Amino acid sequence: MNLMNQLLKGVNLYLVGMMGAGKTTVGRLLAKELGYHFFDTDMLIEQSQKKSINEIFAETGEAAFRDIETAVLAELSSCVRLAIATGGGIVLQRKNWSYLRHGLVVWLDAPVEVLYSRLQNDATRPLLRETDLKVKLQSLLEQRQALYAQADLHLTLQPGETPEQITARVIAEIPTVLCPERRPVTELN
Ligand SMILES: Nc1ncnc2c1ncn2[C@@H]1O[C@H](COP(=O)(O)OP(=O)(O)O)[C@@H](O)[C@H]1O
Ligand SMILES: O=C(O)C1=C[C@@H](OP(=O)(O)O)[C@@H](O)[C@H](O)C1
Ligand SMILES: [Mg+2]
């Protein structure tokens, strides 16, 4: 077992952040690097409801979606050795934090311009439809920033930073949370 796994002891990693920040993309890579299992709360919701996120929002509304999201998170929090990509709104419900706190919460904080460039042609996120995308993203970020900031680890992403580079940075920063006296690890044996 490598140093990182000795430090983590199976603690789950929860990726939080705005739509388009890269939680699903980086979460998958993180799981691979750590020998963890990858889960995405949105994917689990769509599988359990046999509907898309768009359909759930359209047919039962956002409140119902949030209840399902909490139920999925509760299930996941009872497991170990998971890298979990959450939906961008998971931080909104206080009860979700009682589950997130079972693990290590990582905020992938990408600039609005980057989110905008990635989501311009996206049709899978109901909250971004029929609206001025950049204004909406800015407004959501302003509403949520203080919540995201409660994460254990805050990674400010740079334009052009690849998913692989971000994954490596998350891993390097984990010891600074688990062993506060430590600085980022550059070499993991
Ligand atoms: N570091 C990155 N560089 C370039 N594109 C990225 C990066 N991370 C994610 N993407 C792309 O941005 C879009 C949103 O990524 P995704 O992982 O779904 O974000 P989230 O789960 O946070 O909403 C996808 O098209 C993905 O391929
Ligand atoms: O920010 C939000 O409120 C949402 C983010 C989405 O997930 P991603 O962050 O993976 O896009 C999805 O859960 C839903 O559309 C709501
Ligand atoms: Mg996602």
Side-chain angles (χ1 to χ4, degrees):
M1 183 187 284
N2 70 23
L3 168 65
M4 190 49 63
N5 278 303
Q6 287 164 27
L7 279 178
L8 276 170
K9 297 185 176 58
V11 167
N12 292 342
L13 297 180
Y14 293 94
L15 296 183
V16 302
M18 285 287 288
M19 289 175 262
K23 303 181 294 297
T24 302
T25 305
V26 169
R28 205 184 299 278
L29 292 176
L30 258 182
K32 190 160 169 271
E33 284 300 308
L34 294 172
Y36 271 30
H37 293 287
F38 170 69
F39 285 101
D40 181 296
T41 55
D42 282 345
M43 291 178 195
L44 290 176
I45 290 167
E46 292 186 325
Q47 285 163 14
S48 69
Q49 302 303 305
K50 297 184 177 47
K51 287 180 183 159
S52 70
I53 304 289
N54 276 328
E55 287 165 335
I56 297 168
F57 268 71
E59 293 170 20
T60 53
E62 180 174 352
F65 171 83
R66 297 297 175 202
D67 289 343
I68 302 165
E69 190 174 50
T70 297
V72 162
L73 183 64
E75 283 292 309
L76 288 170
S77 71
S78 63
C79 307
V80 293
R81 299 181 62 80
L82 304 185
I84 299 156
T86 67
I90 206 128
V91 296
L92 295 169
Q93 303 226 75
R94 177 178 294 279
K95 58 186 157 184
N96 290 342
W97 281 97
S98 66
Y99 301 118
L100 293 171
R101 288 299 179 209
H102 287 231
L104 197 153
V105 185
V106 181
W107 174 19
L108 298 185
D109 181 9
V112 167
E113 294 69 30
V114 169
L115 304 177
Y116 175 76
S117 69
R118 292 178 184 170
L119 297 171
Q120 280 188 79
N121 303 312
D122 177 86
T124 67
R125 296 164 167 95
L127 292 177
L128 300 182
R129 304 176 81 169
E130 289 114 39
T131 173
D132 179 318
L133 180 58
K134 190 168 280 188
V135 169
K136 180 71 174 187
L137 288 170
Q138 190 59 52
S139 152
L140 285 172
L141 181 55
E142 281 162 15
Q143 290 167 36
R144 298 172 176 187
Q145 191 142 24
L147 297 169
Y148 290 137
Q150 292 176 37
D152 300 298
L153 210 47
H154 175 191
L155 265 79
T156 301
L157 308 185
Q158 306 304 323
E161 203 170 1
T162 67
E164 293 75 12
Q165 288 169 327
I166 296 165
T167 302
R169 203 144 65 86
V170 171
I171 292 176
E173 293 283 339
I174 286 171
T176 66
V177 179
L178 296 179
C179 322
E181 71 285 357
R182 291 179 73 125
R183 293 176 324 107
V185 178
T186 49
E187 289 290 317
L188 290 184
N189 49 36

